[in-house]
Amino acid sequence: QVQLHESGPGLVKPSETLSLTCAVSGHSISSSYYWGWIRQPPGKGLEWIGSIFHSGSAFYNAPLKSRVTISVDTSKNQFSLKLSSVTAADTAVYYCARERMTTVTSFDSWGQGTLVTVSS
Amino acid sequence: DVQMTQSPSSLSASVGDRVTITCRASQSITDYLNWYQQKPGKAPNLLIYAATNLQSGVPSRFSGSGSGTDFTLTISSLQPEDFATYYCQHSYRTSITFGQGTRLEIK
């Protein structure tokens, strides 16, 4: 059974870069799934950040595209998120998820989420 | 980009009630629509994919319907564990959008 686990600093200073890693276990990241990042500001809804295939092909949510980089490390079975020039508006719980590509993309397995606070 | 609008934004109901939540797309999305349940402090859980398909392990009291622009999630008989927030989600090519959520509370 696939498991995903997010890790990274829980506190990031404004204007710096947020970096998170998602370790995948019980499933090869090189399979025919995409792998995505989704965030949720406290008390608010879900926002998709971006997704990546094991080949390195990635796509991003347009409003965040200029600040986001998602990468994959197949040797470690993990993928990562970098979000630059953060502000308080980037404070959120960040989830990684497995993305199933059928007729419609769906996120069928999720990590437990990690809270990242942007504050000086 | 396609905008997804859920209604209502919140809903109070009792155990045993039949509940319907609606998601409307700003343009036709055929059946490219999923539903998730999220409980406080937990990650979302996929309930329905491609508008009408029940995800493995999800109780049969959950069902989805609709196509084009209007979609519904129905819970046939509310159970105590169903009180949560529900989100619809659309994807097309390289764009993924969530609805704003519907909070289902105990009456």
Side-chain angles (χ1 to χ4, degrees):
Chain A
Q1 181 174 345
V2 60
Q3 292 187 328
L4 300 96
H5 181 74
E6 306 90 348
S7 62
L11 181 64
V12 180
K13 290 182 168 57
S15 80
E16 295 189 345
T17 296
L18 179 160
S19 296
L20 296 173
T21 296
C22 181
V24 180
S25 59
H27 188 92
S28 172
I29 205 168
S30 298
S31 63
S32 56
Y33 286 84
Y34 272 75
W35 304 89
W37 288 98
I38 302 100
R39 69 180 183 179
Q40 184 171 37
K44 296 188 178 181
L46 301 165
E47 180 182 33
W48 170 69
I49 299 170
S51 302
I52 193 163
F53 197 56
H54 62 80
S55 63
S57 174
F59 52 101
Y60 306 117
N61 194 351
L64 299 171
K65 187 174 183 178
S66 63
R67 298 195 292 130
V68 174
T69 302
I70 298 176
S71 58
V72 63
D73 186 336
T74 56
S75 67
K76 295 182 178 179
N77 219 45
Q78 65 185 35
F79 61 108
S80 299
L81 168 70
K82 291 187 184 298
L83 180 65
S84 64
S85 305
V86 298
T87 70
D90 295 309
T91 294
V93 174
Y94 286 75
Y95 295 100
C96 60
R98 187 177 73 173
E99 198 170 323
R100 186 174 67 193
M101 311 286 277
T102 55
T103 54
V104 56
T105 292
S106 60
F107 297 101
D108 67 351
S109 294
W110 296 65
Q112 84 283 358
T114 187
L115 175 63
V116 179
T117 301
V118 178
S119 175
S120 55
Chain B
D1 286 354
V2 178
Q3 304 301 315
M4 309 302 297
T5 304
Q6 287 184 236
S7 61
S9 56
S10 64
L11 173 62
S12 294
S14 301
V15 172
D17 284 354
R18 180 183 180 89
V19 167
T20 297
I21 297 168
T22 297
C23 184
R24 175 165 288 175
S26 58
Q27 63 190 70
S28 177
I29 59 171
T30 61
D31 65 350
Y32 295 173
L33 193 284
N34 306 315
W35 290 98
Y36 298 83
Q37 176 194 67
Q38 186 180 33
K39 297 181 179 179
K42 300 295 186 182
N45 182 50
L46 178 65
L47 299 175
I48 302 287
Y49 64 95
T52 61
N53 297 278
L54 193 68
Q55 172 69 358
S56 176
V58 174
S60 59
R61 63 181 180 273
F62 291 92
S63 64
S65 64
S67 65
T69 60
D70 295 315
F71 301 85
T72 58
L73 172 70
T74 299
I75 309 171
S76 60
S77 179
L78 271 175
Q79 298 302 301
E81 60 268 30
D82 299 337
F83 292 95
T85 300
Y86 294 84
Y87 293 92
C88 62
Q89 174 246 314
H90 162 64
S91 68
Y92 181 69
R93 294 185 178 175
T94 59
S95 179
I96 297 173
T97 306
F98 289 91
Q100 81 278 16
T102 295
R103 184 175 178 181
L104 178 54
E105 301 174 320
I106 300 173
K107 183 182 288 185

